[in-house]
């Protein structure tokens, strides 16, 4: 049975403090941060200090030195990571223990920066991750020598690397509308952190991306719709950075659909396999499962790959996939757009028009497919192609049955129009596959072959394309 809480720890809305609070909770063997007692807090502080001191005095060739690299990336100016630190374990521990000592009641308190608990202890950037650098001017509140930080939050901020997905130079923490997912993410990372402290990064094998850990944590709990945010940062003295990526609230619903559908599961595995990279010796150098998970996270600055765009690129490798594989990947892209973005355009008429033109127009089907590929992501050029294709088929005496209104989602400048065009490309390839139209063989005519190859060599996205991968 859990001990009665004495208010020793509070998980706040600050992503770093919150991640540390969940790490303290996991290490203390509790289920909620509010269940952590002062006694638990003291035990976690002793455990954290043991790892800090052990790694701080380790030789650079020692496996434990990797944990010191983690600490240096988060607290580069602390007593534990400073170049002038003591290499004597006893002296170093004695110098660090006051950091986590109970608050001294003889000093005037101030509200804790994170949770508001009254505390007399002031901390500055040497002990707080991502709080200014040596290049930054002092941004402390007027009249204060540091930020007030209570004991619970001090321990949490140094338990942070246990609850975060860490590398030798950065850390990633998770915020989620479902607290159980935050717990699962922290629990997985605490196990990983303990392994790093023992055997170093070399003992971990191929690195798993934090996005995959986050999705697994989210899928392990039943919380319905909820958004997940990853905060990745480096707390360097010279060039610190922070990168924020997040999923939309409907992503759990999409993942549940993938889990429950055989075709979608197959498509997701195809995506993972296609993204896996190996070195010359055949060892995995890039984990495809992690890269696939990364596709459902959208960067705050808009600079991120999108699942639909990645599937679009894979589908255009026409020699790579069977008809079954192409259909599965197409269905995955369609389901993602429907569940996550609410995008469910009517593609049948426009896709049929383009497929008819590729099949029956002048020149080779391979050449016309290359023309469509080159124009398909630009609203203006796609409109030109639809115009030409419609008249070409009509002049050849073929029926053209497509409502001009159906063109609008693909050629107008509107939010997320690029997604409609990518889904259209997937549908065109699916229709061609159903008709048995193969375009893998190059045309025999040398001039036609040169024209097709020139089209294939052109970049898919031209400079005047107006779509972007930002928010809706």
């Amino acid at each position: 049975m859990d001990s009665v809480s004495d208010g020793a720890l509070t998980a706040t809305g600050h992503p770093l403090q919150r991640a540390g609070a969940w790490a303290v909770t996991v290490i203390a063997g509790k289920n909620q941060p509010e269940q952590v007692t002062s006694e638990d807090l003291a035990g976690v502080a002793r455990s954290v200090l043991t790892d800090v001191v052990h790694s701080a005095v380790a030789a650079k060739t020692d496996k434990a030195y990797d944990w010191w690299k983690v600490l240096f990336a988060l607290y580069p100016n602390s007593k534990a990571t400073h170049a002038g630190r003591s290499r004597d374990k006893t002296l170093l521990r004695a110098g660090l223990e006051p950091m986590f000592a109970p608050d001294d009641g003889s000093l005037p308190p101030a509200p804790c920066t994170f949770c508001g608990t009254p505390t007399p202890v002031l901390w500055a950037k040497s002990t707080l991750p991502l709080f200014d650098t040596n290049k930054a001017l002092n941004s402390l509140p007027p009249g204060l020598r540091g930020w007030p930080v209570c004991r619970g939050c001090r321990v949490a901020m140094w338990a942070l690397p246990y609850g975060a997905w860490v590398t030798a130079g950065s850390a990633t923490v998770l915020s989620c509308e479902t607290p159980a997912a935050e717990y699962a993410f922290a629990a997985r990372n605490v196990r990983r952190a303990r392994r790093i402290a023992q055997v170093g990064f070399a003992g971990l094998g191929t690195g798993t991306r934090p996005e995959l850990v986050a999705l697994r944590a989210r899928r392990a709990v039943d919380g319905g719709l909820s958004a997940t945010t990853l905060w990745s940062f480096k707390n360097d003295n010279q060039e610190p950075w922070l990168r924020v990526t997040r999923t939309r609230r409907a992503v759990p619903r999409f993942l549940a659909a993938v889990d429950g559908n055989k075709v979608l599961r197959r498509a997701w595995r195809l995506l993972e396999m296609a993204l896996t990279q190996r070195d010359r010796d055949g060892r995995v150098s890039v984990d495809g499962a992690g890269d696939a998970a990364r596709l459902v996270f959208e960067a705050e600055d808009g600079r991120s790959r999108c699942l639909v765009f990645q599937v679009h690129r894979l589908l255009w490798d026409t020699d790579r996939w069977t008809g079954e594989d192409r259909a599965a990947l197409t269905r995955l892209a369609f389901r993602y757009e429907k569940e996550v973005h609410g995008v469910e355009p009517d593609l049948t008429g426009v896709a049929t028009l383009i497929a008819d033109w590729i099949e029956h127009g002048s020149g080779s089907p391979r050449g016309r497919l290359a023309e469509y590929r080159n124009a398909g992501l630009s609203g203006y050029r796609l409109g030109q192609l639809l115009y030409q294709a419609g008249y070409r088929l009509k002049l050849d005496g073929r029926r053209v049955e497509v409502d001009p209104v159906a063109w609008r989602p693909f050629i107008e400048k509107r939010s997320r129009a690029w997604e409609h065009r990518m889904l259209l490309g997937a549908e065109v390839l699916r229709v061609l596959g159903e008709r048995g139209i193969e375009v893998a063989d190059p045309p025999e005519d040398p001039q036609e072959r040169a024209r097709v190859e020139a089209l294939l060599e052109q970049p898919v996205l031209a400079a005047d394309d107006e779509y972007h991968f930002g928010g809706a």
Side-chain angles (χ1 to χ4, degrees), residues 168-356:
S170 67
T172 300
V173 302
L174 175 144
S175 299
C176 186
E177 295 176 352
T178 304
E182 295 178 322
Y183 178 90
F185 185 78
R188 168 67 175 81
N189 289 327
V190 166
R191 294 193 298 270
R192 180 174 180 267
R194 285 172 168 163
R195 185 167 181 81
I196 295 171
Q198 292 176 356
V199 300
F201 286 105
L204 297 180
T206 303
T208 299
R209 293 199 58 84
E211 292 86 355
L212 180 58
V213 178
L215 288 191
R216 286 173 174 170
R218 183 60 193 80
R219 290 292 295 128
V221 299
D222 182 15
L225 301 180
S226 65
T228 298
T229 302
L230 290 178
W231 311 76
S232 302
F233 68 96
K234 179 180 181 181
N235 189 42
D236 187 272
N237 273 334
Q238 302 299 319
E239 298 296 338
W241 51 261
L242 171 67
R243 185 172 186 265
V244 182
T245 59
R246 55 175 56 92
T247 67
R248 304 211 173 205
R249 298 188 74 245
V251 163
R253 185 170 61 193
F254 165 72
L255 295 176
V258 172
D259 280 348
N261 185 281
K262 181 178 179 181
V263 175
L264 296 180
R265 286 199 307 273
R266 174 185 176 85
W268 189 268
R269 289 292 297 128
L270 289 170
L271 183 62
E272 292 179 336
M273 294 167 62
L275 294 174
T276 300
Q277 298 181 27
R278 298 180 180 274
D279 59 21
R280 293 181 178 179
D281 298 324
R283 294 186 296 264
V284 174
S285 57
V286 175
D287 177 33
D291 260 22
R294 191 179 184 184
L295 296 174
V296 302
F297 283 83
E298 300 177 22
E300 193 174 54
D301 60 5
R303 298 180 181 180
S304 56
R305 287 185 299 166
C306 169
L307 185 143
V308 175
F309 178 60
Q310 187 64 56
V311 171
H312 172 85
R313 291 182 61 185
L314 292 175
L315 286 175
W316 279 103
D317 188 357
T318 54
D319 298 339
R320 182 174 189 170
W321 310 104
T322 65
E324 181 184 10
D325 292 344
R326 189 178 296 113
L329 287 167
T330 300
R331 187 169 171 182
L332 180 71
F334 278 41
R335 191 59 177 266
Y336 179 80
E337 286 303 301
K338 176 182 177 181
E339 298 289 355
V340 177
H341 296 295
V343 174
E344 195 174 9
D346 181 7
L347 306 172
T348 304
V350 177
T352 300
L353 170 63
I354 296 174
D356 287 345

